[in-house]
Amino acid sequence: DSNQTKKAETKPRSKKEVAHEELFELLRALRLKIARAAGKPPYVVFSDASLKDMVSELPTTEAEFLQISGVGKQKLLTYGQTFLTEIRKFIIAKDAVNIRVKRGQNLIVTYHYYEKGWGIDQIAEACKKAPTTIASHLATLYERGENIKLSKFISRKDVAKVLGVLEQSEPPYQLKPIFEALNEKMSYAKIRLSLAYYEKNKA
């Protein structure tokens, strides 16, 4: 029925769909630049299908990039970082104007500010989130093996205090009981990071 078709055509696209189209164009431009510099046709760098897959999957780690159709070890080594950087930059830019294009976007944004050398409170203010939430992002990134230096936020003393409480407790460990056991003298953020350190480094 032609009326139905018209309706489908006039349906406004979501901010997310528009953003994804924008990213596709950005990745095409990047592919062209790389191809020209190497004197190759663009499809030799990546096919359109690979670019479309990048746009729908939004990989931000090497492991995720390897899952993209047409990406093998060699292409990951040759072009991975360039494309991953472009995708991360795009996600961060969209976050700044409140467009959410990826699940787990918060982690990417927190990591971006961390790499700039920002502290937890600074990141929390920029992202309009609680410091505990930012600490939780950093803890998750650390547990995943990202290059997060927890010593920027917690001291050995902090970790030792939390470990002292854990020795008297049973897992799963909750933040509130630890906070109370420490006479409410350590922030939830520091407790969360100390727990991440413990979980990753316990023998």
Side-chain angles (χ1 to χ4, degrees), residues 39-103:
K40 294 176 178 172
Y43 68 83
V44 173
V45 177
F46 283 119
S47 67
D48 270 7
S50 293
L51 296 189
K52 280 177 182 156
D53 208 17
M54 286 176 212
V55 170
S56 70
E57 297 303 320
L58 293 162
T60 54
T61 65
E62 291 192 350
E64 288 171 355
F65 199 71
L66 266 178
Q67 303 300 312
I68 298 297
S69 68
V71 175
K73 284 262 162 64
Q74 196 49 52
K75 288 209 173 177
L76 174 69
L77 278 174
T78 317
Y79 310 118
Q81 277 317 315
T82 314
F83 278 82
L84 284 170
T85 301
E86 193 70 31
I87 294 164
R88 278 197 191 127
K89 260 170 40 189
F90 180 78
I91 290 168
I92 291 154
K94 288 297 159 202
D95 191 83
V97 291
N98 293 319
I99 298 173
R100 193 174 181 76
V101 289
K102 180 178 168 71
R103 256 185 80 218

Side-chain angles (χ1 to χ4, degrees), residues 111 114-115 138 141-150 152-153 200:
Y111 192 52
Y114 166 81
E115 285 188 309
L138 292 167
L141 288 160
Y142 175 76
E143 285 158 355
R144 280 187 186 177
E146 294 289 350
N147 187 20
I148 300 282
K149 289 195 166 54
L150 293 185
K152 282 179 69 173
F153 311 108
K200 192 145 187 257

Side-chain angles (χ1 to χ4, degrees), residues 21-39:
E21 281 171 28
E22 198 184 316
L23 179 60
F24 182 67
E25 292 309 321
L26 280 171
L27 295 180
R28 273 183 63 185
L30 179 63
R31 175 181 68 177
L32 184 62
K33 194 172 128 190
I34 291 169
R36 279 195 177 141

Side-chain angles (χ1 to χ4, degrees), residues 148-165:
I148 300 282
K149 289 195 166 54
L150 293 185
S151 55
K152 282 179 69 173
F153 311 108
I154 49 172
S155 65
R156 286 181 184 279
K157 243 187 198 162
D158 294 329
V159 176
K161 280 179 189 167
V162 171
L163 290 186
V165 176

